Amino acid sequence: MLLRTRLHGKQYEFPDVRVLMGKANEEKSGDRLAGLAAETAAERAAARFVLAELPLWVLREQPAVPYEQDEVTRVIQDALDPVAYAELKDWSVGQLREWLLADTTTAAQISRAADGLTAEMISAVTKLMSNLDLIYAASKVRVSAHCNNTIGLAGRLSSRNQPNHPTDSLTGIRAELYEGLAYGSGDSVIGINPVDDSYSSVARLLEMTHAVIQQWQIPTQNCVLAHVTTQMKCLAAGAPAGLLFQSLAGSQRGNDSFGISVALLDEAQRLAQRHCFTPGPNYLYFETGQGSELSADAHHGWDQLTLEARCYGLARRYRPFQVNTVVGFIGPEYLYDARQIQRAGLEDHFMGKLSGLPMGVDACYTNHARADQNAIENLAVLLTAAGCNYFMGVPMGDDSMLSYQCTSYHDTAALRQLFGLRPAPEFERWLEDLGLMHAGRLTARAGDPSFFLRR
Amino acid sequence: MPEQPATDPQVSIDLPDPALKRPTLSHPADPAGLHALMAATPARIGVGRAGPRYTTAAQLLFQADHAMTQDTLLREVAPSLLAELALFSVATQVCGGKQEYLLRPDLGRKLSENAKEEIRARCPQRPAVQLVVGDGLSAAAVEANLRQILPVIRHGVLSAGLSFGVPFFVSHCRVGVMNDIGELLQPDVLILLIGERPGLGRAESLSAYMAWRPQAGDTDAQRDVLCNIFAGGTNPLEAGAYIVQLAQTMRAHQASGVALKLAT
């Protein structure tokens, strides 16, 4: 294989597709840590010229991890629609980019083409896209799903109510949950990250959130983001869960380190279909994030963007209700600053959409990254323009349990009013009936958690 | 231009510390209920709104807490504290300051050659317990807790009739540096006190990582950790006592981490 170009009088040659893919990436500290980043800005530009000419079939035949060695590769390759693939396999990566952006290419055509794309192709085209390219192409595609309500419809923006508490205190979590509901947050899910991953503690949180849902007749779903096996145990024992959650990695070795496998996720899905109290048919909730494979030494020498795309290829198998990247949570050794976090957020959202997933984003940062709340607010505005399904809602964006900052209850409210978007339709009616929202805007009584003390 | 300077406008701004937790939400439906809700969580609720955005007071307090955290991250542990506690100081292979420390976790896990030489020269080999202090991600955590926790551990270990190695400080250090120290000094139990990643406005949390005879290749599976050590979490005096107890348990079972869990 010859992968070579001249650029500004200098010759650049890349030994293989793996190296080419790493060097074509927008700068990320994680790719540098892995020794995959371009040495110079010019080398990065040269890699993109070469990548743009690469036919898509080459990327299918050279997955990040061989088919025989990795079940994530097998899931992605086996699910490929041969007819859709045949139509585009001879396109170059550069052609795919222009086709996605063309005014004549419709959302329906993109969804159909997505059935013929592997994760490596999706990653490759992403490397050729500017930020506005990513926003524009993603905005064409809407992916909707249904559990107890409907997420991802056009003109809608949802919010996960994330009332985490440093000791899993029921009264503390309920207090934050009320604050969020009072701002119209909770239509994506009432989802808690538990401190204590034990069965009894997780079951207790499911019971409490379900009781609030019942008491106030909230058209939403609950979820406790413990390890999937703990949630499965809760479901089997009759605890009321609306969605099942798990973090995913883009390689089998990465998923080993998370204690999961395709067989386990298949079983989780069957259990959810049988035991969740919600009507479905979309029962799963996944989180991902660039860099997690490298941190588990499970990246097989590939760049973090490609591994992330493979997470989406795996997620697609389960027709989930929602998927979000937790971009920026992993720390500055993978995404150094606001610029890298912003770029990765736009990339992940685009790649998820192109994989046919109902994508949200946890736009966030840790305190040792060079970022602040302004950066996250900017990213949320860009993602809303890109048609993102949902954001996290945390009291003022300051998570008192996970010690990171993300988007707030206020942020989704502001983004809805800024862009003329509404909550999920069932949830909007519920807010209207309670008098917390009118014609898509918060009413005078909204924003007061003590409103929910009357029942 | 007026000939006289403008008269002093009758404005006087002299503010108390805003960190006190009180609602910035006006006209709650249930004021007593709101106080109870706010008392139930450290999260920023009852904050109210200006349209769909934050009230000014709530926003400024958030920014102030973020500022405090950022200032902490860029700071090194005060040399005067190390001198006061008679800790000598060595470095990891990070030599490019805080930025390199953040970008290269691999370098923060390895002692520099100078550090190895100095430790060899100043510390006796094979103590029962070796204590090491690292800055990690928060100098403030070390400064807030070390004066209290260090004497408790030293006294506890000596009272138990165990040898206590010469403690020292490692700058720009990650938890994985324990393996290098274990290889060098071969203590039975190694304790690393290290500053945690700061939360918003909360930079004082220290962690204690402990391992039985740490060596190259060890991971978190071979370690035990006590986190959230600070006056508002696990009190440093109590934490010190617990650490001594755990060190004795490790010696009794000759194990730490997962292996210790299985043994006890």
Side-chain angles (χ1 to χ4, degrees):
Chain A
M1 183 177 297
L2 183 63
L3 301 167
R4 192 166 75 185
T5 186
R6 288 190 73 77
L7 182 64
H8 301 314
K10 196 174 165 197
Q11 178 134 308
Y12 296 89
E13 187 164 342
F14 306 93
D16 55 31
V17 172
R18 180 188 69 85
V19 170
L20 180 71
M21 289 280 273
K23 290 185 185 289
N25 268 341
E26 200 77 0
E27 178 154 19
K28 309 263 174 65
S29 49
D31 288 334
R32 197 158 289 284
L33 184 63
L36 299 169
E39 291 300 320
T40 61
E43 190 189 24
R44 177 173 301 118
R48 288 182 186 164
F49 271 105
V50 175
L51 183 62
E53 297 303 318
L54 197 71
L56 295 179
W57 62 263
V58 176
L59 289 159
R60 187 193 179 183
E61 292 183 5
Q62 308 227 345
V65 199
Y67 184 91
E68 299 72 25
Q69 281 176 31
D70 187 281
E71 62 177 6
V72 176
T73 303
R74 291 197 287 276
V75 162
I76 294 168
Q77 299 267 344
D78 293 351
L80 209 65
D81 173 359
V83 179
Y85 173 68
E87 281 174 23
L88 50 73
K89 71 184 177 60
D90 294 322
W91 295 2
S92 68
V93 179
Q95 268 179 299
L96 175 59
R97 173 183 170 276
E98 290 187 358
W99 182 81
L100 288 166
L101 295 168
D103 288 326
T104 46
T105 304
T106 63
Q109 287 174 304
I110 294 176
S111 320
R112 201 178 117 59
D115 295 340
L117 295 172
T118 64
E120 285 77 7
M121 300 176 202
I122 291 172
S123 167
V125 75
T126 302
K127 297 167 201 281
L128 301 185
M129 312 270 280
S130 74
N131 284 7
L132 187 52
D133 293 353
L134 294 171
I135 293 168
Y136 184 75
S139 78
K140 287 189 177 188
V141 183
R142 297 284 342 179
V143 185
S144 172
H146 190 275
C147 186
N148 209 20
N149 62 18
T150 320
I151 201 164
L153 295 171
R156 307 282 169 175
L157 178 64
S158 295
S159 169
R160 166 180 161 191
N161 195 326
Q162 181 174 308
N164 295 342
H165 187 278
T167 62
D168 287 343
S169 150
L170 290 183
T171 50
I173 289 172
R174 205 183 287 113
E176 294 173 46
L177 171 55
Y178 288 167
E179 172 100 352
L181 290 172
Y183 283 91
S185 169
D187 47 345
S188 118
V189 64
I190 295 169
I192 300 163
N193 298 89
V195 178
D196 180 352
D197 199 273
S198 71
Y199 156 74
S200 59
S201 178
V202 171
R204 193 176 62 113
L205 296 177
L206 287 170
E207 298 285 356
M208 185 277 278
T209 46
H210 182 252
V212 174
I213 287 174
Q214 291 293 106
Q215 186 185 14
W216 288 89
Q217 292 294 300
I218 312 173
T220 191
Q221 34 281 321
N222 63 343
C223 186
V224 178
L225 288 75
H227 193 266
V228 70
T229 50
T230 310
Q231 297 167 76
M232 289 163 74
K233 198 172 163 195
C234 289
L235 261 192
L243 285 175
L244 280 199
F245 166 83
Q246 181 54 45
S247 292
L248 299 182
S251 69
Q252 182 174 338
R253 202 191 290 165
N255 285 322
D256 279 347
S257 78
F258 286 166
I260 60 164
S261 64
V262 171
L264 179 68
L265 293 173
D266 287 356
E267 191 191 335
Q269 187 177 34
R270 279 195 298 275
L271 209 65
Q273 286 164 343
R274 203 166 337 128
H275 293 297
C276 283
F277 73 86
T278 42
N282 309 108
Y283 283 110
L284 293 184
Y285 172 15
F286 295 123
E287 283 188 341
T288 65
Q290 291 187 30
S292 60
E293 296 83 4
L294 177 58
S295 85
D297 194 23
H299 63 301
H300 297 272
W302 278 68
D303 63 282
Q304 61 191 40
L305 189 74
T306 302
L307 270 303
E308 180 71 6
R310 290 165 56 89
C311 294
Y312 302 136
L314 174 59
R316 185 182 157 92
R317 174 183 178 87
Y318 301 99
R319 303 285 157 211
F321 179 72
Q322 56 180 32
V323 180
N324 62 261
T325 169
V326 193
V327 67
F329 186 72
I330 193 155
E333 58 268 46
Y334 303 93
L335 295 171
Y336 182 62
D337 57 9
R339 180 172 151 175
Q340 293 186 10
I341 292 171
Q342 192 168 74
R343 171 72 192 181
L346 295 176
E347 289 171 341
D348 294 355
H349 175 258
F350 166 77
M351 294 198 300
K353 282 260 192 89
L354 195 49
S355 306
L357 296 173
M359 277 304 283
V361 173
D362 186 347
C364 64
Y365 63 102
T366 56
N367 281 313
H368 58 321
R370 301 228 166 219
D372 61 13
Q373 212 63 19
N374 285 337
I376 287 315
E377 291 175 3
N378 288 352
L379 177 55
V381 170
L382 298 177
L383 285 164
T384 306
C388 185
N389 281 6
Y390 65 98
F391 296 111
M392 306 298 125
V394 165
M396 285 197 77
D398 173 16
D399 191 305
S400 60
M401 178 273 189
L402 292 172
S403 281
Y404 81 128
Q405 283 90 250
C406 61
T407 47
S408 68
Y409 298 139
H410 293 69
D411 289 345
T412 300
L415 291 165
R416 283 173 181 156
Q417 296 189 190
L418 181 62
F419 283 86
L421 301 173
R422 307 287 182 93
E426 303 88 343
F427 197 83
E428 184 188 7
R429 274 196 294 282
W430 176 78
L431 288 168
E432 290 247 356
D433 290 347
L434 283 182
L436 294 174
M437 182 172 274
H438 179 68
R441 302 184 92 78
L442 295 177
T443 63
R445 63 169 63 163
D448 175 7
S450 73
F451 173 90
F452 287 96
L453 294 174
R454 16 170 231 174
R455 267 187 211 169
Chain B
M1 289 288 285
E3 282 181 16
Q4 297 292 321
T7 51
D8 180 21
Q10 295 301 301
V11 175
S12 168
I13 299 173
D14 180 12
L15 301 168
D17 194 315
L20 196 69
K21 191 169 171 176
R22 56 194 149 83
T24 44
L25 166 68
S26 45
H27 311 300
D30 179 349
L34 180 66
H35 275 279
L37 290 175
M38 291 177 67
T41 174
R44 294 166 199 261
I45 65 168
V47 294
R49 61 196 183 90
R53 302 306 298 154
Y54 310 122
T55 55
T56 304
Q59 170 142 304
L60 294 181
L61 187 55
F62 181 106
Q63 290 172 355
D65 288 344
H66 186 251
M68 192 263 258
T69 302
Q70 292 302 301
D71 290 348
T72 295
L73 273 166
L74 299 174
R75 216 158 48 73
E76 307 287 351
V77 172
S80 58
L81 176 74
L82 303 179
E84 177 191 327
L85 295 171
L87 296 174
F88 72 93
S89 179
V90 297
T92 60
Q93 293 183 9
V94 173
C95 46
K98 286 282 182 194
Q99 174 163 338
E100 186 180 70
Y101 172 71
L102 292 174
L103 285 171
R104 294 293 304 271
D106 51 331
L107 298 181
R109 295 184 194 114
K110 293 180 201 134
L111 291 170
S112 67
E113 284 309 313
N114 282 346
K116 286 183 184 172
E117 244 170 72
E118 186 155 5
I119 292 168
R120 257 192 231 109
R122 299 175 77 152
C123 299
Q125 293 246 326
R126 297 195 176 82
V129 176
Q130 174 70 46
L131 180 82
V132 177
V133 181
D135 47 5
L137 287 164
S138 174
V142 173
E143 292 169 358
N145 300 291
L146 201 58
R147 264 190 205 92
Q148 287 178 286
I149 197 169
L150 181 64
V152 175
I153 296 173
R154 188 200 317 261
H155 183 255
V157 168
L158 294 174
S159 300
L162 300 173
S163 59
F164 188 70
V166 173
F168 58 92
F169 175 80
V170 185
S171 65
H172 297 146
C173 111
R174 303 259 176 186
V175 173
V177 83
M178 291 175 79
N179 295 359
D180 263 12
I181 298 170
E183 295 275 342
L184 206 58
L185 294 179
Q186 300 178 11
D188 279 353
V189 175
L190 177 60
I191 304 167
L192 174 67
L193 301 175
I194 185 168
E196 291 176 9
R197 191 181 82 195
L200 202 65
R202 298 180 298 269
E204 299 194 338
S205 274
L206 191 73
S207 282
Y209 282 83
M210 298 174 64
W212 168 258
R213 295 188 181 166
Q215 53 184 351
D218 280 5
T219 68
D220 280 346
Q222 281 86 37
R223 298 173 191 135
D224 287 273
V225 60
L226 176 66
C227 46
N228 224 14
I229 302 170
F230 75 109
T234 303
N235 181 290
L237 300 176
E238 286 166 33
Y242 174 80
I243 287 166
V244 172
Q245 204 175 35
L246 184 56
Q248 288 173 288
T249 311
M250 285 181 178
R251 280 175 52 85
H253 294 275
Q254 308 213 337
S256 58
V258 176
L260 183 63
K261 265 195 197 74
L262 293 174
T264 53

